[in-house]
Amino acid sequence: MDERIHQAELLYQRAVYGGDIGAHAQADRELDAVEADLALARGRITHARFLACRDEDPDGAREDPDELALFERAAELYRALGDIRGEAGALLWVGCFHQVVRCDHEAAARALDRSFELAVQVGDSVTRSDALRYLGIQAHAAGRPDLARERLEESTRLRREAGLLPGVASNLIGLAYIAAGQGRLDDASVLLDEADEIAGISDSQRILRSIGEARAELRGTG
């Protein structure tokens, strides 16, 4: 049993048998924290299912109506609990949903900017790196390659420091596309070579497929 659910059970007993009125509010907070974590976890699994469907059939992938609701519920609960780190993480996924599933970069940027701001506030370098990745993608889509490169390079630096190898490899693919778009084809090739090596070490098969796709696309532009 989750420790917080166990604690809520103890608080229930204190309220019912001991007459501790204040135990009600404390139990609610414990259970709200559990609900927030569960909503975020369910939302992420739902998002992973969308990505798997898109890999299988790019034109057939459909949004799950529960995904955004789960992320927004998590953000709402974390905010009410005063859990800034949790809220930053949930807002990151709200932004990811808008960008990846709906291709709505404007809505994504609002959530990602706030996620980044909160992550800086609490020193959460992992959420910062993730927010910067998606903000970099947003800048690239908006035709601002220099800003996109800056954000992705900073995201990559943070991911290297945290030892998040698959995330590093994923960012390097994005940086390769930016380099190719700026005519730096040699740089793009070097970036993909490094991404390939890192993805191989971390056994990131999905990223390896993306690297192969990127090489094929960039050969067509060379």
Side-chain angles (χ1 to χ4, degrees), residues 113-218:
D113 282 338
R114 182 56 176 161
S115 172
F116 179 80
E117 178 183 324
L118 293 175
V120 169
Q121 187 176 329
V122 295
D124 183 348
S125 61
V126 173
T127 298
R128 276 173 58 204
S129 74
D130 291 343
L132 282 167
R133 168 179 168 76
Y134 291 112
L135 287 168
I137 293 171
Q138 184 264 338
H140 193 217
R144 304 179 67 187
D146 290 336
L147 178 59
R149 179 182 179 183
E150 177 185 325
R151 288 172 170 175
L152 278 175
E153 286 180 341
E154 177 62 8
S155 172
T156 303
R157 183 187 69 79
L158 291 169
R159 287 180 168 188
R160 286 187 197 276
E161 288 181 355
L164 301 173
L165 293 182
V168 171
S170 185
N171 276 0
L172 292 173
I173 298 171
L175 286 166
Y177 277 114
I178 293 170
Q182 294 179 321
R184 298 182 289 111
L185 296 180
D186 288 344
D187 288 347
S189 180
V190 169
L191 288 162
L192 289 177
D193 286 344
E194 184 182 1
D196 208 340
E197 180 180 356
I198 292 172
I201 292 171
S202 58
D203 194 27
S204 302
Q205 296 301 317
R206 187 167 179 270
I207 294 176
L208 286 168
R209 289 196 298 272
S210 295
I211 293 168
E213 293 167 2
R215 288 192 192 281
E217 286 186 45
L218 298 186

Side-chain angles (χ1 to χ4, degrees), residues 98-99 102-110 112 134 137-139 141-142:
H98 282 297
Q99 185 178 99
R102 291 188 175 172
C103 299
D104 184 343
H105 291 285
E106 184 176 344
R110 289 193 294 271
L112 294 168
Y134 291 112
I137 293 171
Q138 184 264 338

